[in-house]
Amino acid sequence: MTVFRSLTRVLALLWAGAACAEPVALDPGDFDEFDAAQVQAGWLLFYDPVLSGNKNISCATCHHPKFATSDGLSLGLGEGGIGLGRARVADSNNLPEQRIPRNSPALFNLGHRAVTVMFHDGRIEVDPTRKSGLRTPLEDEMAEGFASLLSAQTMFPVLSADEMAGHYQENDVSQAVRQGRITGDGGAWDIIAKRVDAIAAYRALFAAFDAGVAGGDPVTFIDVSDAIAAFVATEWRAYDTAFDRALRGGAPLPEPAAQGQGLFFGAAGCSGCHSGALLSDQGFHAMATPQLGPGKAARFESHQRDDGRFRVTGAAADAFAFRTPMLRNVTRTGPWGHAGAHSDLADFVKFHADPVLATYAPQATLPDLSTAVADWAVLEDAGATAAIQMAYQPRPVALNDADISNILAFLDALTDDASIAGRLGVPDAVPSGLAVDR
Ligand code: HEC
Ligand code: HEC
């Protein structure tokens, strides 16, 4: 029986290994270079709560170097939370209406030229058939002229009531959003841009690299977005890892990371999806990852599912499919999975290679929130769980404990410490004078 078991295991491993890709190092030349003044403007804006409706939350609250550009939580607390990371609590005077429905992704290597999709469901993506060159949830309402996909992304967190805008009646930004005024004069983006434009230190920074602003033009939200994108793309480039150095001819990976690399690009089949220099095919796959929290229902629906890519394309084959994450620094960016359902990476990898939802034991990292819907409603609903399980397409791979620890050693060899600290780091102060999360 044992012999038979290990034989089937070997066969399964061989089968999974059939469609594997070669390891490729990240090339620093595949990142655009930006003007230092633009990067500096973006740096300060990223850490400045002035972009949020109630001026109480910045991009860095959910994407902080302390938590490897994420927030250390399965599902974070947006506007209405106080504190950072695992110490973040709900403000009893301004309770968030719900948890943020997805895990805050790390921001490494998003400025690499091969990145074509943003968000766990890719709802912002490069699309040459559209006028703006991008497909986004705002479709034709989307302003044109963004410098990049990464820049277009910035337009969205500031509009979300739960993330940064705040709730109806609380401030000018949230009211504009609620009334559907996004673009144009007096729209949400315009209100935010005017706040930035009114701060002399920001105007001076923009004027240093932007002839229009130097000549008296106002700072627009596209300027703000482009600067933040320039900062993110520059600050968190992660290519100086033991893995990349080895591929560029440096010291080979030590054991057990080398064994782990062999499994990753071979028998364990990981590189079937985590492929290319970014270790992501930029594609979408249904991996039966456990679902928790409020989910992503449309306004007129009440379920707590997150249909993933299906919400964007409406194609049945995309049900419960999520984007393949890039893996640099992944051992530092937990909890893992689109809803952060695993706080332990070894458990995640084991589950991910051979996912059986019925065997999953909750291990999320969640701040207390009295207004939260029942966090585990989907997994307690047999029908909803079965649908997620049935959408799983890939061939499962049974990994033993030694395989898992070898793979973990390999994933750790994808760490670039300098990129985690960031090149500029956390600023001491921001031009608005508002408090900086640290
Ligand atoms: C309340 C927490 C929160 C705040 C504040 C926030 N984000 Fe995010 N961010 C998230 C979450 C959650 C996602 C994933 C959303 C999804 O996939 O649906 C995300 C996604 C992203 C992505 C896409 C990453 C990827 O790999 O696809 C970028 C880039 C990003 N945020 C940058 C920013 C910037 C810039 C700001 C400030 C303007 C900001 N975020 C503010 C939580 C936050
Ligand atoms: C069929 C495609 C596919 C294969 C094969 C695959 N992955 Fe993934 N991986 C994904 C997708 C898609 C996600 C995101 C799933 C989600 O969040 O729902 C993911 C998520 C991850 C994450 C979590 C990243 C994060 O930031 O939360 C890690 C770590 C990971 N995979 C490692 C591996 C390893 C190791 C293997 C091989 C044992 C592997 N993957 C095999 C597609 C794949």
Side-chain angles (χ1 to χ4, degrees), residues 193-279:
K194 287 203 165 90
R195 288 185 184 178
V196 174
D197 189 59
I199 299 171
Y202 278 125
R203 276 205 62 87
L205 275 169
F206 278 94
F209 66 91
D210 182 324
V213 176
D217 288 352
V219 173
T220 66
F221 199 81
I222 291 193
D223 296 334
V224 168
S225 263
D226 284 351
I228 293 179
F231 162 68
V232 171
T234 308
E235 180 79 348
W236 290 304
R237 283 169 296 170
Y239 42 67
D240 190 22
T241 74
F243 168 72
D244 292 285
R245 287 194 298 268
L247 288 175
R248 288 191 212 110
L253 284 190
E255 291 303 350
Q259 288 249 7
Q261 178 174 332
L263 283 164
F264 189 97
F265 289 95
C270 314
S271 63
C273 304
H274 296 281
S275 57
L278 294 169
L279 299 173

Side-chain angles (χ1 to χ4, degrees), residues 62-390:
C62 300
H63 301 286
H64 203 280
K66 227 178 175 174
F67 301 96
T69 69
S70 182
D71 61 1
L73 297 167
S74 298
L75 303 175
L77 291 181
E79 207 283 322
I82 301 173
L84 197 58
R86 274 150 239 165
R88 194 160 171 80
V89 292
D91 176 356
S92 52
N93 297 317
N94 177 25
L95 276 182
E97 285 178 7
Q98 58 171 321
R99 300 189 193 287
I100 300 299
R102 289 179 179 158
N103 181 258
S104 168
L107 304 184
F108 300 105
N109 293 333
L110 291 173
H112 189 279
R113 291 194 195 105
V115 174
T116 54
V117 290
M118 295 272 156
F119 291 128
H120 292 291
D121 55 14
R123 65 189 181 280
I124 301 187
E125 62 189 307
V126 170
D127 181 349
T129 69
R130 309 214 177 202
K131 214 165 81 184
S132 63
L134 300 169
R135 170 176 175 165
T136 82
L138 282 175
E139 291 296 342
D140 293 334
E141 235 205 288
M142 188 72 185
E144 286 166 53
F146 292 101
S148 64
L149 177 72
L150 184 56
S151 173
Q153 188 283 334
T154 300
M155 308 300 259
F156 294 91
V158 297
L159 299 181
S160 155
D162 291 324
E163 287 190 7
M164 293 180 82
H167 297 106
Y168 189 41
Q169 298 299 6
E170 285 177 358
N171 63 71
D172 46 353
V173 177
S174 60
Q175 282 176 27
V177 172
R178 180 59 175 258
Q179 292 160 8
R181 289 184 288 117
I182 312 293
T183 53
D185 283 351
W189 289 329
D190 184 47
I191 295 170
I192 298 168
K194 287 203 165 90
R195 288 185 184 178
V196 174
D197 189 59
I199 299 171
Y202 278 125
R203 276 205 62 87
L205 275 169
F206 278 94
F209 66 91
D210 182 324
V213 176
D217 288 352
V219 173
T220 66
F221 199 81
I222 291 193
D223 296 334
V224 168
S225 263
D226 284 351
I228 293 179
F231 162 68
V232 171
T234 308
E235 180 79 348
W236 290 304
R237 283 169 296 170
Y239 42 67
D240 190 22
T241 74
F243 168 72
D244 292 285
R245 287 194 298 268
L247 288 175
R248 288 191 212 110
L253 284 190
E255 291 303 350
Q259 288 249 7
Q261 178 174 332
L263 283 164
F264 189 97
F265 289 95
C270 314
S271 63
C273 304
H274 296 281
S275 57
L278 294 169
L279 299 173
S280 165
D281 57 6
Q282 305 284 298
F284 301 85
H285 307 274
M287 303 303 292
T289 313
Q291 179 59 36
L292 64 135
K296 296 283 276 185
R299 275 202 189 282
F300 54 87
E301 301 170 317
S302 62
H303 66 76
Q304 283 176 244
R305 290 194 316 272
D306 185 338
D307 296 328
R309 184 66 174 163
F310 176 80
R311 294 187 76 242
V312 178
T313 63
D318 287 332
F320 307 109
F322 293 86
R323 178 195 52 180
T324 310
M326 305 183 279
L327 297 178
R328 298 296 186 302
N329 295 328
V330 73
T331 61
R332 312 291 181 86
T333 62
W336 293 272
H338 69 267
H342 286 91
S343 297
D344 181 283
L345 185 55
D347 289 349
F348 176 87
V349 171
K350 194 164 189 156
F351 184 90
H352 186 55
D354 185 6
V356 181
L357 277 172
T359 66
Y360 169 76
Q363 50 164 277
T365 306
L366 292 168
D368 287 339
L369 181 65
S370 58
T371 49
V373 290
D375 286 312
W376 302 103
V378 168
L379 291 186
E380 281 161 5
D381 173 341
T385 307
I388 297 173
Q389 187 71 52
M390 270 161 57

Side-chain angles (χ1 to χ4, degrees), residues 6-51:
S6 47
L7 190 64
T8 36
R9 182 169 168 268
V10 167
L11 286 175
L13 288 173
L14 283 175
W15 190 93
C20 281
E22 289 297 308
V24 188
L26 263 178
D27 181 348
D30 284 339
F31 293 81
D32 290 328
E33 296 290 334
F34 297 91
D35 188 289
Q38 187 182 29
V39 170
Q40 174 134 19
W43 174 50
L44 296 169
L45 288 163
F46 188 90
Y47 287 91
D48 198 333
V50 75
L51 301 184

